[in-house]
Every structure is written in structure tokens, then in C-alpha cells.
Amino acid sequence: MAGRAAPAPGALLCALLWAAAAAAGGGPGDNPAPGAFGRVYRGAVNISAERVYAFAYRSEPGQVDAVRVYVNSSSENLRYPVLFVVRQQKGVLSWQGPLIFRGLYQRTYNYQEVSRTLCPSEPTPETRPSDQIIFVDIASMAPFNIAYELLVTRLENFQLETNKAFNFTASPSQPQYFLYKFPQDVDSVIINVVSDAAYPCSVVSVQDIVCPVYDLDHNVEFNGVYQSMTKQAAITVQRKDFPGEQFFVVFVIKPEDYACGGSVPSSIHGNVNRTWNLQRTKNLQVTIVPSIKKSVYVQAMFFSFLSFLSFYLGSVVVAFVHYIRVQRKAAAGRLSPEHGSGMMTSSHPISASTPEGSSYGAIDESSSSSGRQLSSPERRPPPGSDTDSSVEEESDFDTMPEIESDKNIIRTKVFLYLSDLSRKDRRIVSKKYKIYFWNIITIAVFYALPVIQLVITYQTVVNVTGNQDICYYNFLCAHPLGVLSAFNNILSNVGHMMLGFLFLLIVLRRDILHRRAMEMKDIYTLDYGIPKHFGLFYAMGIALMMEGVLSACYHVCPNYSNFQFDTSFMYMIAGLCMLKLYQTRHPDINASAYSAYASFAVVISLAVLGVVFGKNDMWFWVIFSMIHVLASLALSTQIYYMGRFKIDGPDSDLGMFRRAVMVLYTDCIQQCSRPMYMDRMVLLIVGNLVNWSFAIFGLVYRPRDFASYILGIFICNLLLYLAFYIIMKLRSSEKLLPIPMFCIVATAVVWAAALYFFFQTLSSWEETPAESREKNRPCILLGFFDDHDVWHFLSAAALFFSFLVLLTLDDDLDTVRRDKIPVF
């Protein structure tokens, strides 16, 4: 017969030719042997003898009948496999025995026992039963007999039920799939699959009711949605995605475990063939439960927005109370400034004598006449003359040689006061800090647009290919909406945007009140308290909003390659907070926006390099640790000498190191003198110890999550500096007013709660997708939000309170003269 010469890959064509030959008559096997379900048939085939079995059954109206075929071939000779062809009314299924699977590096695995479920017959609309028939053809091109076994059974538990667990066993050569129909009142379900054993690695697939069903390792990814699995998998399925309101759940066991994080079996070497049979079986349990209803989506959205709108309401209440108190003070008459000499004329508000404990006086008429002229209200330009011209900044008195010399003297005093570091024209310094705001907007736009485009592409690839191993969701609590696979992880970032905008409004209110006071030449505003520069605060508010946007973008498809989207603006927030804290008492010598953002760009570049090279490359960690330590020393030197540490002369490359060596030799070895600036020295020593510890830790352990490692460095330095600032503030007999005290307590409490939820790991892109799913957990809030969503809510509130701490921390100094406010 012509069909017998067809090779194994042409099994479909072979089956069709056999059918034609049978219709024409002639040859062995023309008359199919009637077969019975549940009975084992044994026989032998060769090149001149084939076997055909016919299995007839009756299908009841509205019933879905599924048939499973089990075969076993004793042959291990791959040159002469046994070919099995199953013909149904609307399809043909064929395979060979032994069944060959290919693994990594072209390794092959042979299975003699094969069991396949046939594509079920569709329910007939007829009111009476219909007759069905299945033909099973067994043949081989071997010149000798090859024994076989055949067993055909009808499946009784083919259709899965809602909320009912079903247990079964599968192997690479014996995949399983089942049918599920949506109940009338259910629009979405979650397929939960669990197993006691992590390995062998398996794949769970959801496919439409289409024949053939792709249920082998090499084709399971051709159709539908699929996930790799070790101990746990979960797939959310929506009714709208299946017009027939039913689908197949397919379970495939992979021949190797490397896709799930396992290793290639050590007993397999090279391209040697092995017959594994049932050595890779896996017990699985599947449960299909209804997902949340649309009303839960609405409740979750209301909860998210109303929770953060309550912050707006609280801010309005606080602002109203503050307004009432100000009006009462205005009616009763304003009090005299603390530590001052009573109410003074607005023309020379800081004309008092030299502060105690200082070898130089605060700015007065005799010592700095030019500085006094510029800082005097009568000589200030009118408010309408403000421009953003860089020429104004260049024309600042700070560039005059005599003032440069005076600045060097003042900043090296043992006891510095705020008046010593707020000598520049307020307009010019304010414009300098406004650049922070405008630059971060530019950065945000140029950074966010390609990020949004990229994550949209990621989501599109997931939706088109059905490969749910691309994104690391918490699949037990991933609620889709539209094209988004995990809408809850995106919605929970609304807090960053709403509270960032609220912070901008609070800063704007303070800015407007400050401008009005400046126009009225209010003595307290001009020369008392901390100089008010709001550019950094505006930049912090924008950074908080952008953190919400980019975190939402990251959670569209969280994975290893785009985690830096979630952390980039965290670096900027931490850096801006440190800059703002330093600017408070050092307004004239804080870093410019250009140098600050250039530093952030270097950090983000290092983070990207760490993602690429930071896994196993020792050279990267050596270079990064050296950069970290040297940067810490250089920054410490600048802070210790108040920015007056210069590298001049022809040997400028070695000047800094020569001076550092001389200082160490003179102060620590030759005479072991007490450091000139003890407080700063203590802070910098502790800070350097912390940073060196981070560098050593990275060099030794080389953490895979490099982005979080850098973020930890930033946060620890920020917390260290904030603690130092508050301690020094209290040491200087300054007070903490009720609002900043409340914000400090709220910050500590909310951060503690937020970090608890942050460390409840729900997924990890440091592992394989299958291993990451072992960490998945159900929702904990409203049946919609998981632990990481709660972290989003709480971290947004914690950042907001942290910003308020920086904004209100020195409100107690508003009535204290600047020549009485110490610098630390």
C-alpha cells in the first residue's frame, strides 16, 4: 500500500492514504477489529502486518464525550518506531512510539508509554442520541515484529466544576486536559493549580475549544495562555475572551527542569538516548474559583481615591486652623522675635553685635558693607524685575575677589551661623533653586515617554503570545481590566500622584504667603528664620508624582529588565531630600541643579550597568566599590570644609590627596589635635563607615538586585543625615513644634508598616517565573489588593509625611534672627 512508505512526520498524510486504501479494498487490516472501551489489546505489527481497531459509542444529547488512548510499545529502536493514528469524525491525531522529546543542547528523551486525550465531540443539538466511531491504526515499517499494547477508555471526569478540587497525574508522554464551562452568573474565574513537588517542571495552558489540542512540550505554547509551574500556578480567565463560554485547561510535563530553575539530570550526558517511562510523573490538583465581580473594581477605585482625598481634607483643616491662629495673633499684636533685641527697623534687622562663641561677627555694617547693601530691603530690586537670566547669577557679589576672600574666612570659622551662609542675593539664590523644578519636569517627560511605550509593547506581547512567563505578577491577586493584566497593581500607585500633587499645593501656598510677606517687607520674612527657597520642594513633589507614574508603568509588566523604572525616581527623591536638608542651613553653598541631576544620571547609569553586569562579574563590583568609596571621601571633604576645599596649582591632580595626607599627619599623628569641626567630623565618620560597609557587603555578596542595593545606600544616608540634623537641632536648644513632631511620628509609624508589607515578597524576578509563582499569595484588602498594593498605599503616605517633615521642621525658627541660628 502506498501509505506504508510515508515517514513518521507525515503521519497525517499516511492516515488519509490508509483510509483511501481501505475504501478501495485489499491488504491486511482492511477490516477493523471491533474494540471495547476499558479492555487492553496486545499484538504485534511489522512492515507487512498492521492493525486497525474501531471503537463505537453513543453520545447523549448535550453531553461532551472525551476518549483517552493509552499505548505502549516495547521497541527502543528509533529506526523503526510504531506509528499510532487515531481517526475521528472531524480530526486525526497521530504520534509514534517511542515518543521522543528534545531538551537542552539537543538531548533526547524517549517514552514508550504514551497516553493522549482525543479532541472531544461537540454537543449535538439533536434531541436523540448520536452514534460516534473512532478508528485506531497501528503500523510499523520494521522487518520484524514489534509488540504493542492498546487501551481506550471514556473519561468520566472530563469537565471541571466550579469550586471543586480535582486531582490527577501527568507525565511528559501522558499530558492531561479538561473542559470548563462558565456558569451563567460568573464572568471571570481563577484557575488554581498546586502540587506538593516542585519538580518535574510543568506547564499550565488555557486554550479555546479548537482541535487539535496542543498538549505536548513542543507545541503547548502555540495556542492560548500558558504558564510554567513548579508548586503553584494561577491563571485568570474572563468569559469575554471565549465566545463559546468554555475552554480547555491543559497540563503538560516538561522533559527537563531548567525552564523552572532546575538543573539538567546528571545521568544524562551528551546526545545519549534514554527511555524514562514514568520517572517524571507529577501529581496535580486543579481548582477553578470565581474571580471578583465588577462591583469590587468600583469599590476598590472609590477606596483608593477617597483614602487619599482625606489627606486633602486634613490639609484644608490644618490650613484653616493656621489661618485662624495667624488672624488672632495679628489682632493681638505680633510678639518680638526670640533671642532678638525686640522689634527692629526693617532696613537693618541684623545689626546686632557678634554672636557669642564666634571669632567673627555676623554680617554687620563694618565687616561687609557690600554684602549689607545687597541684603538690605531698601536696595532690593522690585519684585516685578525677577528674571531667570543666568547673567544675574554670574553678576552675584560672590564672584568679586574681596568677597571671595571674605567667604573663605567666614566658612572656616569654628562656629558658623546661618547669616554667614545666606549672604547672596535672595533673588539669585531662589532662581538657582527654581532650576531644580524646571529640570525635573524636563527629565520626567523625556524619561517617562519611552518607558510608557516600552511597557505597552510588553503588555501587547503578553496578550498576543499568551506567554505569562514574561511578567512577574502575583497571579493569585492579578485582576485584569481592558488590556492590563494586573490593574490592581497600577491603581494602587494613585496615592503617589495624588499626594505628590497635594504637596505641590501646600508648597505653593507657602510660596505665595512668603512672596506677599516679601512684598510687604516683613521683618520676619526678610532676615529671620531659615531663608525660604521652594524650588527643591517643587522638585520633590514632581518626583513623588513621577514615582507613581513609573511604578505603575513597571507594574504593567514587572520583570528583570525594567525594574529600574520603579527605582529611578526613588534615587532622585532620596537625593533631593538630602539636598534640601543640607540647603536649609547652607543656602549659599548647596549643589546646583545641573551638578545634582548629573550625579543622579551617573547613579542611574550605574544601576543599568549593575542590571547587566552585576550578577556574576567580579570586575564590576570592584570598580563600583572603588567609585563608591572615593565618592564618599570626596563628598565628605566638600561637606567638612563647607565647599572651600580647592584643588589648585600645577600639581592639581595630586593636590587634594597631598592636603588630605598633611591634615591626617598633622592632626592625627603629629599632635593628635581635636578636629576643628567636631560635629561635622562625627557625622562624616559615621557616614563613611556606613558607606564603606555597603561597599564591602556588595563586594563580598554581590546581590542580584543591584537597583535595590543602590536604593538602600541612598536611604541609609538620608536617614543618617536626618537623624544627625534633628539631634543637632535639639542640641542647639531649638524646638520641635506640634506639626513637625506629628509628621515625624507619623512618618516613623507609616514607614514601619509600609516596610512590613514591602518585605512580604509576592514575586521575585531574581528567580524563574515558575519559582516566583511559589511566592504568590491571595488578596488581603477588599479582595482586590495584595500586600504589595498596601505597600504602595503606605509608602506614598510615608513619603508625603517625610516631605512635610522637611517642610515644617524649622518652623520654630521663623522668629529667630539668622545670626543666632547655628549651622551644622
Side-chain angles (χ1 to χ4, degrees), residues 66-70 115-118 151-153 155 174-176:
V67 176
R68 190 166 180 84
V69 179
Y70 165 85
S115 181
R116 306 284 298 276
T117 300
L118 305 183
L151 173 63
V152 181
T153 58
L155 297 179
Q174 300 184 21
Q176 299 268 17

Side-chain angles (χ1 to χ4, degrees), residues 6-7 45 57 270 389 406 440 499 521 554 659 679 736 793:
V45 292
Y57 64 95
S389 171
D406 185 50
I440 200 170
L499 293 184
K521 297 183 179 180
Y554 164 71
R659 179 168 177 180
D679 294 329
L736 288 176
F793 288 135

Side-chain angles (χ1 to χ4, degrees), residues 421-708:
L421 296 181
S422 57
R423 296 159 57 83
K424 294 183 181 179
D425 188 352
R426 182 199 62 84
R427 297 178 309 109
I428 297 174
V429 177
S430 180
K431 293 181 189 304
K432 170 185 174 181
Y433 292 122
K434 282 182 181 178
I435 300 176
Y436 276 95
F437 172 66
W438 294 112
N439 279 11
I440 200 170
I441 291 179
T442 305
I443 293 170
V445 172
F446 279 91
Y447 193 92
L449 288 180
V451 168
I452 294 172
Q453 292 175 333
L454 180 62
V455 296
I456 289 175
T457 302
Y458 268 118
Q459 185 68 72
T460 303
V461 170
V462 171
N463 295 340
V464 172
T465 64
N467 182 4
Q468 295 201 352
D469 283 353
I470 296 176
C471 306
Y472 287 73
Y473 303 117
N474 174 18
F475 288 91
L476 288 177
C477 187
H479 302 298
L481 181 67
V483 298
L484 301 173
S485 299
F487 174 69
N488 54 300
N489 294 148
I490 298 171
L491 176 62
S492 58
N493 284 285
V494 69
H496 294 88
M497 290 176 272
M498 293 184 65
L499 293 184
F501 184 70
L502 174 59
F503 184 74
L504 288 176
L505 294 179
I506 294 173
V507 174
L508 178 63
R509 174 182 175 272
R510 287 204 166 207
D511 194 4
I512 292 174
L513 293 177
H514 177 69
R515 290 182 182 180
R516 289 177 180 173
M518 291 293 295
E519 293 173 358
M520 297 172 60
K521 297 183 179 180
D522 181 64
I523 181 176
Y524 294 90
T525 303
L526 293 173
D527 297 295
Y528 285 71
I530 301 295
K532 302 296 191 297
H533 304 294
F534 297 97
L536 272 169
F537 283 127
Y538 284 123
M540 290 161 57
I542 296 296
L544 181 56
M545 295 179 68
M546 286 307 303
E547 172 57 30
V549 172
L550 292 177
S551 178
C553 290
Y554 164 71
H555 285 284
V556 169
C557 182
N559 57 52
Y560 180 77
S561 61
N562 63 9
F563 180 62
Q564 62 266 29
F565 300 161
D566 195 22
T567 55
S568 295
F569 270 81
M570 290 184 183
Y571 305 145
M572 301 187 73
I573 288 174
L576 289 172
C577 288
M578 283 188 281
L579 286 170
K580 183 59 198 178
L581 205 54
Y582 188 76
Q583 179 215 54
T584 304
R585 310 254 173 170
H586 312 78
D588 285 0
I589 61 174
N590 205 13
S592 68
Y594 305 112
S595 58
Y597 288 130
S599 302
F600 296 151
V602 171
V603 171
I604 294 175
S605 300
L606 287 173
V608 173
L609 292 176
V611 170
V612 178
F613 301 108
K615 295 181 182 178
N616 302 309
D617 295 323
M618 186 66 182
W619 63 267
F620 171 81
W621 284 99
V622 171
I623 294 175
F624 174 78
S625 298
M626 291 176 60
I627 294 175
H628 185 187
V629 171
L630 292 176
S632 299
L633 290 173
L635 184 61
S636 300
T637 304
Q638 288 297 103
I639 293 175
Y640 186 74
Y641 289 104
M642 291 290 183
R644 305 316 303 154
F645 190 79
K646 296 295 184 180
I647 305 175
D648 299 320
D651 56 346
S652 58
D653 292 338
L654 300 176
M656 179 173 65
F657 299 102
R658 180 178 293 116
R659 179 168 177 180
V661 171
M662 289 299 297
V663 169
L664 288 173
Y665 175 76
T666 304
D667 292 350
C668 301
I669 299 176
Q670 190 177 43
Q671 58 186 10
C672 195
S673 62
R674 183 178 184 272
M676 182 177 296
Y677 315 113
M678 178 58 73
D679 294 329
R680 271 178 270 170
M681 178 61 74
V682 171
L683 169 67
L684 295 174
I685 288 177
V686 175
N688 276 275
L689 289 177
V690 169
N691 283 277
W692 294 353
S693 300
F694 267 103
I696 295 172
F697 173 83
L699 198 59
V700 173
Y701 293 98
R702 287 174 285 174
R704 293 188 62 186
D705 189 355
F706 185 76
S708 295

